[in-house]
Amino acid sequence: MKKLLLTFFVVLCFAFVSFAAEILLEEPVIVTSAGQSPGALQFTVVAKMVSLDYKFDKLYKAEDVDMSQFKTFVIVVGASGKGLGAAGIDIEVEINRVLALAREAKDNGLKIVICNLEGASRRGESSDKIVTTLAPLASVYFVKSDANEDGFFTNLSEEAGVPMATFEMTVGLKDVLAQYFGK
Amino acid sequence: MNRFCADLCSGFSGTGKSWKVIPFGGERIGDPLKKRYVQFIVFISVVLVVVLLSGFSFTSMWKDPPIVRGPGVSEVKMLSDWLPSLSGTKGDTEVYIIRGSEPGGNFLLLGGNHPNEPGGTLAAVLMIENVSSLAGTVYIIPRANHSAFTHNDPMEGAPQFFSIELPDGSRRTFRFGSRRTNPVSQWPDPTIYNHPTGSTLGGSEISNLNRAFPGREDGIITERVAAAIMNIVKQEKIDLVCDLHESSPEYPVNNAIVFHQEAAELAIMTQMMLEMEGVDIRLEESPPSLRGLTHREIGDNSDAYVVLLEVANPSQGRLRGKTTEELVTTGVDKYYLQASKDGKLFAPYDETGYPLELRVARHVTTVRVLLDSWNMMFPDRMIMLSDVPAYNAILSDGLGAFLKPVS
């Protein structure tokens, strides 16, 4: 009986460590927008609250970034007509830009976070297309709850077997970052 | 029309000295001419009556509904105090100044940039009639494009006025104006508007105040209004500008804070704090290429932080049905309800509509939280207001509870 309990305890410990390792994210972090909404800017404001070591540019290009300098790549998804117009690009160009960055990040061993920080207001054809295109490369999803009322992110997360953290309010991302980055 | 003219004219011939009857087809007639005289006089009379009634109706919007000076208002100036050439024109308008008991930052609040967006105007009026300042100075222009309040949009079928009942049973009347400056003030529009920044816009935008910034001091009325507002920003060392608007529910930038890039962090803080109070609002960054708007041009041409607020207004949307005073105040419209069911709107919408109370409550609350965020970020330039009407109180007690009776 003693042996059985000991075995169970050891297995449990390994299971916990492996789960923790699977979702542990590391700094430094590179952040970009996918869709040019202000969500990525919001992410940086919350990131400052937990003193996250990050670099941000809403228009990073794969050829201009040395991904080997980073450990985690955060893509904040939110399609904005105004934002895309201001950047002088369309949604297809935007998707290709972010996809190239994500592939470069994957090749360099970075973990990729797909983040919806603006909730239901950034769900729609264009935003969903960005998410589904990037889904095969996702390591984890950070999602504001009202963006997942139809289970869109839950389905993607379960299909790919990657974790998902949800939060009710924008400021709730602070706790998620603290948890995932061990802050 | 040609036949009518022919009929009318064929009975007369001018000789230079007198009129005489000439026959139709060579035959002299008597009674039909008398009948034509009568027809002519009746027609002219009807035209005159219609013209007079239209004229009275048109000019009835030229009188400003009163705004009551609240306990915090220390001075009322005119926009022409910052640009004298506006004096005596329809572009001149009141600037209400609320000085704080303590020094602090300077805040400019704009309502009525688009007078067919009454939520912005009413929010500014509520601030004027209720708010005092503990620190800092507030400048409020409730009818920023004053000329555009003096008419409404032709062919839109919009009401000229709407009114709000006060607790004492009296009513306060406000105008539902136009997005554009009255053509009496400036006409005609060019084909292309050569904007002061060097870019070109569609010709009709020359009468849209929110495309005219930073304005021209020697330009047409709309440009001069914009230039005068810019002069306030510069001469009064304004730290923060907030421009209040409304938008069609089917427009993507809805229930939103649009911010100049310098004001990004301030807007984000505001959004997060509003969210904690249960007010959902989205963020949009001002596109650098979209010229002439307050958030772009005041932000680019001064040291002020600039945001623009949008809230959904069904009475200005393209999907609306009959545009009545009730639609303006309740926002209830069956076509918008259907559009909402079809998932075509960017604002929550149900049988309760989108009432003016809700639209004004959102604006007033966003302004209060914006200032809270400002004070956290810039404690050396505090702008601290008291007696700002509370969100739930506006919704439960109605706008009338926060408007002063007019004696």
Side-chain angles (χ1 to χ4, degrees):
Chain A
M1 185 62 185
K2 234 179 185 179
K3 234 177 186 178
L4 191 67
L5 276 173
L6 189 65
T7 312
F8 178 72
F9 181 71
V10 168
V11 168
L12 196 67
C13 284
F14 270 109
F16 178 76
V17 169
S18 115
F19 173 71
E22 188 186 60
I23 60 166
L24 189 66
L25 299 173
E26 294 174 87
E27 299 166 87
V29 180
I30 177 170
V31 184
T32 197
S33 168
Q36 301 303 312
S37 78
L41 265 174
Q42 281 178 284
F43 181 92
T44 63
V45 170
V46 181
K48 274 183 203 162
M49 293 178 183
V50 292
S51 306
L52 200 70
D53 178 12
Y54 71 87
K55 289 264 189 293
F56 164 68
D57 191 311
K58 60 185 177 184
L59 287 167
Y60 275 130
K61 285 184 178 168
E63 55 270 31
D64 301 332
V65 178
D66 179 5
M67 281 289 181
S68 64
Q69 293 180 4
F70 302 97
K71 300 283 188 189
T72 304
F73 180 32
V74 176
I75 304 167
V76 186
V77 178
S80 159
K82 255 192 172 150
L84 289 166
I89 52 178
D90 64 24
I91 191 69
E92 294 302 329
V93 172
E94 178 71 344
I95 289 174
N96 289 335
R97 179 186 70 83
V98 181
L99 191 57
L101 280 164
R103 284 183 177 141
E104 187 71 17
K106 206 76 179 172
D107 291 346
N108 281 275
L110 276 71
K111 293 215 168 56
I112 297 177
V113 180
I114 295 180
C115 181
N116 170 304
L117 193 43
E118 295 171 274
S121 70
R122 296 300 176 191
R123 282 291 311 282
E125 195 180 331
S126 299
S127 294
D128 289 358
K129 187 174 178 183
I130 295 171
V131 174
T132 49
T133 305
L134 295 170
L137 301 167
S139 310
V140 57
Y141 290 95
F142 295 166
V143 179
K144 194 173 174 193
S145 299
D146 67 333
N148 193 39
E149 279 175 357
D150 59 354
F152 174 72
F153 286 98
T154 303
N155 292 340
L156 288 172
S157 156
E158 286 176 357
E159 277 169 21
V162 297
M164 177 174 78
T166 58
F167 44 93
E168 293 295 323
M169 289 190 283
T170 312
V171 74
L173 176 68
K174 190 178 146 193
D175 297 333
V176 173
L177 293 179
Q179 181 195 338
Y180 276 78
F181 285 94
K183 290 283 186 178
Chain B
M1 185 66 185
N2 286 343
R3 184 176 172 188
F4 172 80
C5 289
D7 281 355
L8 198 66
C9 299
S10 60
F12 304 94
S13 175
T15 62
K17 290 180 181 174
S18 63
W19 291 91
K20 64 177 182 178
V21 178
I22 59 167
F24 286 88
E27 291 178 21
R28 182 175 293 274
I29 51 172
D31 285 341
L33 175 65
K34 202 172 177 182
K35 193 177 170 189
R36 282 199 179 82
Y37 264 127
V38 173
Q39 283 176 339
F40 180 74
I41 289 166
V42 168
F43 174 75
I44 292 297
S45 302
V46 169
V47 168
L48 278 174
V49 168
V50 170
V51 167
L52 280 172
L53 287 177
S54 304
F56 284 130
S57 173
F58 186 67
T59 54
S60 69
M61 292 187 74
W62 292 10
K63 190 178 175 194
D64 291 342
I67 293 174
V68 181
R69 283 175 65 151
V73 175
S74 36
E75 194 178 355
V76 183
K77 295 178 99 170
M78 296 300 287
L79 197 53
S80 56
D81 289 328
W82 286 272
L83 186 60
S85 71
L86 271 179
S87 182
T89 71
K90 278 190 164 51
D92 204 3
T93 188
E94 304 101 335
V95 181
Y96 294 80
I97 304 173
I98 301 172
R99 294 192 195 285
S101 40
E102 298 289 330
N106 297 314
F107 174 45
L108 173 61
L109 183 64
L110 298 176
N113 186 329
H114 289 151
N116 62 335
E117 299 168 11
T121 310
L122 262 292
V125 171
L126 246 64
M127 299 292 277
I128 290 166
E129 299 195 359
N130 292 277
V131 163
S132 297
S133 175
L134 303 173
T137 303
V138 182
Y139 299 79
I140 304 178
I141 309 178
R143 297 184 274 236
N145 190 350
H146 180 271
S147 171
F149 275 97
T150 62
H151 72 140
N152 65 1
D153 289 321
M155 312 303 288
E156 288 291 331
Q160 292 171 299
F161 302 95
F162 62 95
S163 63
I164 293 162
E165 188 172 358
L166 274 57
D168 66 1
S170 64
R171 297 191 80 85
R172 288 277 300 271
T173 300
F174 297 91
R175 289 173 294 195
F176 189 88
S178 169
R179 186 177 173 87
R180 304 189 188 288
T181 302
N182 194 330
V184 168
S185 301
Q186 61 177 56
W187 187 84
D189 291 344
T191 308
I192 293 171
Y193 175 27
N194 291 310
H195 194 262
T197 57
S199 59
T200 53
L201 300 173
S204 62
E205 297 290 21
I206 201 166
S207 54
N208 177 353
L209 178 58
N210 208 28
R211 297 297 182 277
F213 286 91
R216 288 183 175 103
E217 289 199 356
D218 57 352
I220 52 168
I221 288 290
T222 312
E223 291 178 319
R224 274 190 272 162
V225 170
I229 292 171
M230 279 304 304
N231 287 349
I232 292 181
V233 172
K234 288 176 177 172
Q235 290 170 25
E236 306 304 327
K237 297 183 170 49
I238 298 292
D239 296 296
L240 175 62
V241 179
C242 179
D243 183 15
L244 303 172
H245 285 255
E246 292 188 301
S247 48
S248 312
E250 68 272 26
Y251 178 52
V253 182
N254 225 310
N255 294 351
I257 304 173
V258 185
F259 59 89
H260 186 266
Q261 66 270 13
E262 294 296 326
E265 206 157 322
L266 177 69
I268 290 166
M269 291 289 287
T270 304
Q271 180 269 333
M272 290 198 287
M273 288 169 68
L274 279 169
E275 201 177 35
M276 285 190 268
E277 293 195 18
V279 180
D280 264 340
I281 198 159
R282 63 193 283 166
L283 295 167
E284 290 289 347
E285 188 171 356
S286 168
S289 55
L290 194 55
R291 308 310 309 199
L293 293 98
T294 49
H295 49 79
R296 171 52 43 206
E297 303 301 346
I298 299 179
D300 281 0
N301 293 284
S302 77
D303 296 328
Y305 291 73
V306 190
V307 298
L308 179 152
L309 307 185
E310 296 278 18
V311 64
N313 169 17
S315 64
Q316 70 172 123
R318 306 318 302 170
L319 307 180
R320 71 186 191 274
K322 191 176 178 185
T323 317
T324 59
E325 181 179 343
E326 192 185 357
L327 177 59
V328 174
T329 52
T330 68
V332 174
D333 182 282
K334 62 181 178 182
Y335 299 106
Y336 270 108
L337 187 59
Q338 187 58 50
S340 177
K341 286 175 182 166
D342 294 343
K344 303 294 185 193
L345 303 184
F346 291 88
Y349 192 90
D350 59 23
E351 288 79 4
T352 59
Y354 224 83
L356 194 54
E357 287 86 2
L358 173 62
R359 284 136 60 192
V360 173
R362 285 187 64 96
H363 271 342
V364 170
T365 304
T366 305
V367 169
R368 175 178 57 75
V369 174
L370 177 72
L371 293 177
D372 288 345
S373 307
W374 172 268
N375 292 337
M376 282 197 301
M377 292 175 66
F378 305 99
D380 56 327
R381 284 181 286 164
M382 294 270 264
I383 305 161
M384 194 172 284
L385 304 186
S386 66
D387 305 308
V388 179
Y391 184 86
N392 286 332
I394 297 173
L395 292 186
S396 60
D397 302 343
L399 287 171
F402 298 95
L403 292 169
K404 308 284 184 255
V406 176
S407 55

